[in-house]
Amino acid sequence: MNNYKIHAFDHCELYVGNAKQAAHYYQYALGFTPISYSGLETGSRKKVSYVMQQGKVRFVLSSPLIPGTEIGKHLDQHGDGVKDISFTVDSAEEAWKETTANGAISISKPKLIEDKNGRAVIATIKTYGDTTHTFIERNNYKGSFLPGFKKLKKSKLDQSVGIIHIDHIVGNQPDGNMKSVCEFYEKIFGWHRFWSVDDKDISTKYSSLKSIVMANDNEIIKMPINEPASGLKKSQIQEYIDFYKGPGVQHIALSTKDIISTVKKLKLNGVEFLPTPKSYYKDLINRVGEIKEDLKEIAEMGILIDSDEKGYMLQIFTKPIQDRPTLFFEIIQRKGSNSFGKGNFKALFESIEREQNQRGNL
Ligand code: FE2
């Protein structure tokens, strides 16, 4: 038992080269609404941030306003990507105290921040690579995001594509580092192993990966940790490590209650997904059992399906959302199943490998 409680993923902060233009993509392609802002107009002279929200998912897109900043160095090294995964907690002070007592490296001590809308407490620790976890305690805050941010006027147009919350966030590790990162989550947070796959389960002719899903005690937070496994050619995890220059967030899975409608809207908005070969759908029903959705529509969309004893799940993956082949999104709809798509890895990998080959990285 911890002395603090993690309620949910609070938000992810992404460092991006041009936050204003990224915000446009998150709004008009991915269906997020800009809700809050900090920048020159709010007195933030070095850093600009746009807070984008859809359902309970919040992304903070941040860019530097001047040269020589920590964000600038991060961008030069890693390109656009996730800097921080934050958790809403009942006590940021307790969360920081306990995790640092357990051996976590502190990035910033608990700090009280306030404005006319109330007060919040935040504290940050380091996790894999240059990625961090921030604890956010905002019980006494009534503003749109956090103190220092100004609320943006809500546009009348609702662009939501139906995303409701974050299902899981995956971290890629260099070869041989998966276990130590999982041990970090066990030791620092007291989390447990929820699910795992190894290279025997999911190798294609060319490449494979190992993955262990770490979860907190109420299993609201799920964070799969991947590492490459050797194959004939380069693993997609290794391609990520090569271009991100180290460990980092590989993908964020966003859940929806109607994946067909969500993916249709995203495709109309120009979001690109990994294609699924037609052969995947041939014996699908034999593999996963009866599904409620129209199989023809599922196949047209390229949606993947996997099942376990509890039910089934539908998922699809976008192509990388920046020029480096690093971060991408997953859209997921769970119908009882807690699966992480073991049955789909092979089809998915073969699709990724075709893309890798086109980039000259296979
Ligand atoms: Fe995933």
Side-chain angles (χ1 to χ4, degrees):
M1 268 310 275
N2 304 107
N3 293 323
Y4 62 95
K5 194 172 177 244
I6 293 181
H7 295 300
F9 287 114
D10 190 278
H11 67 270
C12 288
E13 181 168 19
L14 291 91
Y15 285 173
V16 295
N18 185 336
K20 186 171 190 153
Q21 288 188 8
H24 192 83
Y25 179 82
Y26 277 76
Q27 180 168 9
Y28 294 101
L30 298 173
F32 284 76
T33 302
I35 58 156
S36 212
Y37 168 86
S38 111
L40 293 174
E41 297 81 353
T42 66
S44 175
R45 307 295 303 171
K46 296 180 183 167
K47 174 181 177 183
V48 60
S49 297
Y50 295 78
V51 185
M52 312 299 294
Q53 180 154 18
Q54 185 172 179
K56 288 186 174 148
V57 183
R58 265 190 302 235
F59 292 135
V60 179
L61 307 170
S62 299
S63 289
L65 290 165
I66 55 165
T69 63
E70 178 253 327
I71 306 181
K73 282 180 210 145
H74 198 279
L75 285 169
D76 185 43
Q77 178 77 357
H78 304 294
D80 286 15
V82 175
K83 171 64 187 175
D84 184 85
I85 300 165
S86 71
F87 306 120
T88 320
V89 295
D90 56 357
S91 169
E93 170 111 33
E94 285 300 329
W96 179 86
K97 263 192 200 161
E98 194 175 308
T99 50
T100 52
N102 289 343
I105 295 168
S106 173
I107 299 291
S108 61
K109 287 182 184 170
K111 185 169 63 180
L112 177 74
I113 46 174
E114 53 190 328
D115 66 10
K116 64 180 193 313
N117 294 308
R119 43 179 43 196
V121 183
I122 58 171
T124 304
I125 60 165
K126 180 181 159 11
T127 179
Y128 46 78
D130 287 331
T131 316
T132 56
H133 286 311
T134 295
F135 302 115
I136 310 247
E137 176 190 337
R138 57 164 92 233
N139 309 340
N140 300 310
Y141 192 67
K142 305 273 175 291
S144 59
F145 181 57
L146 280 172
F149 281 77
K150 81 167 185 193
K151 187 177 176 181
L152 293 174
K153 230 190 244 154
K154 215 181 164 199
S155 83
K156 286 192 185 89
L157 204 67
D158 181 9
Q159 277 123 352
S160 170
V161 297
I163 285 160
I164 44 180
H165 61 75
I166 292 176
D167 187 272
H168 58 272
I169 300 179
V170 183
N172 276 350
Q173 313 303 325
D175 196 6
N177 284 34
M178 173 183 70
K179 278 211 175 109
S180 62
V181 173
C182 293
E183 281 157 17
F184 168 88
Y185 282 102
E186 285 166 344
K187 182 177 158 226
I188 303 297
F189 289 96
W191 292 4
H192 60 276
R193 293 170 190 224
F194 182 80
W195 190 87
S196 73
V197 281
D198 66 26
D199 40 345
K200 285 186 267 332
D201 297 317
I202 45 165
S203 59
T204 64
K205 204 165 88 190
Y206 292 134
S207 66
S208 62
L209 65 70
K210 299 176 199 166
S211 186
I212 296 174
V213 179
M214 300 305 297
N216 73 327
D217 43 351
N218 61 16
E219 297 183 343
I220 282 172
I221 306 295
K222 291 190 207 77
M223 302 211 4
I225 304 297
N226 291 343
E227 73 176 14
S230 52
L232 277 176
K233 296 201 178 179
K234 187 186 276 188
S235 166
Q236 46 143 324
I237 310 302
Q238 191 57 46
E239 186 195 32
Y240 175 101
I241 299 290
D242 291 348
F243 278 86
Y244 199 73
K245 300 288 168 209
V249 172
Q250 179 210 36
H251 75 266
I252 301 174
L254 303 168
S255 76
T256 167
K257 282 193 175 124
D258 182 351
I259 195 166
I260 292 176
S261 149
T262 297
V263 172
K264 250 185 208 166
K265 285 178 185 161
L266 289 169
K267 284 191 172 180
L268 275 175
N269 292 348
V271 176
E272 293 181 299
F273 290 90
L274 287 174
T276 306
K278 288 281 165 275
S279 57
Y280 171 84
Y281 297 96
K282 264 191 191 154
D283 61 342
L284 182 70
I285 299 304
N286 287 337
R287 262 196 308 115
V288 302
E290 282 308 310
I291 56 165
K292 288 236 168 69
E293 293 72 16
D294 177 12
L295 186 61
K296 205 174 144 244
E297 225 171 354
I298 292 287
E300 268 168 22
M301 296 277 129
I303 292 166
L304 305 163
I305 305 180
D306 195 23
S307 62
D308 58 18
E309 61 292 344
K310 289 182 180 156
Y312 63 101
M313 60 88 109
L314 308 98
Q315 62 180 169
I316 190 167
F317 298 85
T318 72
K319 292 187 180 181
I321 53 156
Q322 59 290 303
D323 290 306
R324 295 195 200 189
T326 52
L327 177 69
F328 57 89
F329 289 114
E330 170 183 350
I331 307 297
I332 183 166
Q333 182 180 5
R334 292 195 182 277
K335 295 198 135 178
S337 169
N338 281 327
S339 160
F340 278 78
K342 193 186 280 190
N344 289 330
F345 274 90
K346 194 165 188 286
L348 175 67
F349 273 31
E350 285 168 351
S351 186
I352 290 176
E353 282 163 8
R354 279 190 292 277
E355 306 270 322
Q356 252 181 288
N357 193 32
Q358 282 173 22
R359 292 192 286 261
N361 290 335
L362 188 63

